[in-house]
Amino acid sequence: MIGTRVEDGYWSLMSFLEIQKLSKSYRVGGRSLPVLTEVDFEVSAGEMVAIVGSSGVGKSTLMHILGGLDHADMGSVRIGQTKLTELCDSERVAFRNVHIGFVFQFHHLLPEFSAVENVEMPMRIARWTADDARMRAVRLLNQVGMSDRLEHRPGMLSGGEQQRVAVARALVMRPTLLLADEPTGDLDEATGKYLRELLREIHVEHGLTSVIATHNERLAADCDRVMKLENGQLRSR
């Protein structure tokens, strides 16, 4: 069980996301390269937390572990009441698909499908009816300002428009946790400003707990708290 949303107050007295003693290394040229070293980190329900740090420091690795896309060498990840690191692969996939929304730097939209079809995809995989999936996809695309681009394929959209479609797709399964990895990294300043404001808006409106890895200082400043990843450790900035 993931627990109820932040507006229900269920998690008001405890952390919603907690990692303990999280470590991760990669083998490079026959030697072990540590990326994360016994990282401890907590996020309260309803918080919007930024993780900053230089390129290659391990922000994406951390985000992938938080979202169940990668394995840690040791340590634990808890989301709500669920120990993500104790789930088998199929359980982790099922949990991630329902409870975690992802926004990546490079959209990962399917080029052969329209904007609305891309947003529908997680619901169709979860066996929603076609009508229900279409209704929710259209509603979310309207919310992110894409009502006049529903039938456009990704190749017909600007980078900012593609990212807005990706945000809508991240919300379709009504996740409680939003993970965004450099969501403005491929956008110009004006489009990045629009997306910063959009992320804050959906964070509040959808009752999310959000963790955002970013180089964008303005996006970090919009968050409730900023953490810095450096030398394998995560510290308050």
Side-chain angles (χ1 to χ4, degrees):
M1 293 289 291
I2 188 71
T4 52
R5 292 180 174 276
V6 59
E7 60 263 29
D8 298 320
Y10 189 89
W11 296 108
S12 60
L13 299 179
M14 65 182 295
S15 61
F16 177 77
L17 170 65
E18 179 184 54
I19 64 177
Q20 293 184 326
K21 305 298 182 184
L22 201 70
S23 296
K24 177 71 174 181
S25 298
Y26 292 105
R27 299 294 298 179
V28 178
R31 65 187 182 91
S32 179
L33 177 65
V35 178
L36 304 173
T37 307
E38 296 193 2
V39 174
D40 295 317
F41 179 46
E42 294 186 6
V43 181
S44 299
E47 261 196 303
M48 187 176 189
V49 178
I51 296 177
V52 301
S54 58
S55 295
V57 77
K59 298 190 301 299
S60 292
T61 296
L62 176 59
M63 298 293 281
H64 288 176
I65 293 173
L66 294 182
L69 294 171
D70 196 1
H71 296 274
D73 296 333
M74 61 174 289
S76 65
V77 176
R78 175 179 61 78
I79 301 172
Q81 290 179 309
T82 299
K83 281 282 189 72
L84 191 65
T85 40
E86 294 180 359
L87 301 180
C88 68
D89 287 346
S90 60
E91 291 171 333
R92 190 170 59 254
V93 169
F95 180 88
R96 181 176 69 232
N97 288 347
V98 174
H99 298 296
I100 303 174
F102 288 92
V103 180
F104 299 100
Q105 179 177 354
F106 301 110
H107 331 114
H108 298 299
L109 300 178
L110 299 173
E112 67 271 30
F113 294 103
S114 68
V116 70
E117 288 169 339
N118 266 280
V119 176
E120 286 177 335
M121 198 63 65
M123 295 179 286
R124 300 302 294 270
I125 292 171
R127 299 186 183 278
W128 286 44
T129 67
D131 288 346
D132 287 346
R134 178 57 57 104
M135 185 180 303
R136 180 154 177 78
V138 169
R139 184 183 306 125
L140 287 168
L141 285 166
N142 287 343
Q143 184 182 2
V144 300
M146 292 292 290
S147 58
D148 58 345
R149 297 286 191 274
L150 300 180
E151 301 300 334
H152 287 59
R153 293 184 181 183
M156 303 166 66
L157 302 173
S158 69
E161 289 171 333
Q162 291 182 56
Q163 195 65 300
R164 281 187 269 167
V165 175
V167 169
R169 183 185 57 190
L171 299 174
V172 293
M173 298 302 291
R174 299 185 175 92
T176 47
L177 176 65
L178 179 70
L179 300 176
D181 189 7
E182 297 290 358
T184 62
D186 200 38
L187 305 177
D188 60 62
E189 184 175 348
T191 307
K193 179 177 183 296
Y194 179 91
L195 192 69
R196 293 199 319 268
E197 295 170 349
L198 177 62
L199 287 171
R200 188 72 204 187
E201 176 187 319
I202 65 167
H203 170 83
V204 173
E205 184 168 333
H206 290 263
L208 297 167
T209 300
S210 301
V211 180
I212 301 173
T214 184
H215 283 107
N216 189 313
E217 288 294 333
R218 292 180 180 177
L219 176 55
D222 287 342
C223 294
D224 303 317
R225 183 158 55 104
V226 180
M227 305 291 292
K228 185 173 185 179
L229 185 59
E230 188 175 35
N231 297 324
Q233 292 289 313
L234 196 58
R235 299 183 177 88
S236 296
R237 195 180 70 170

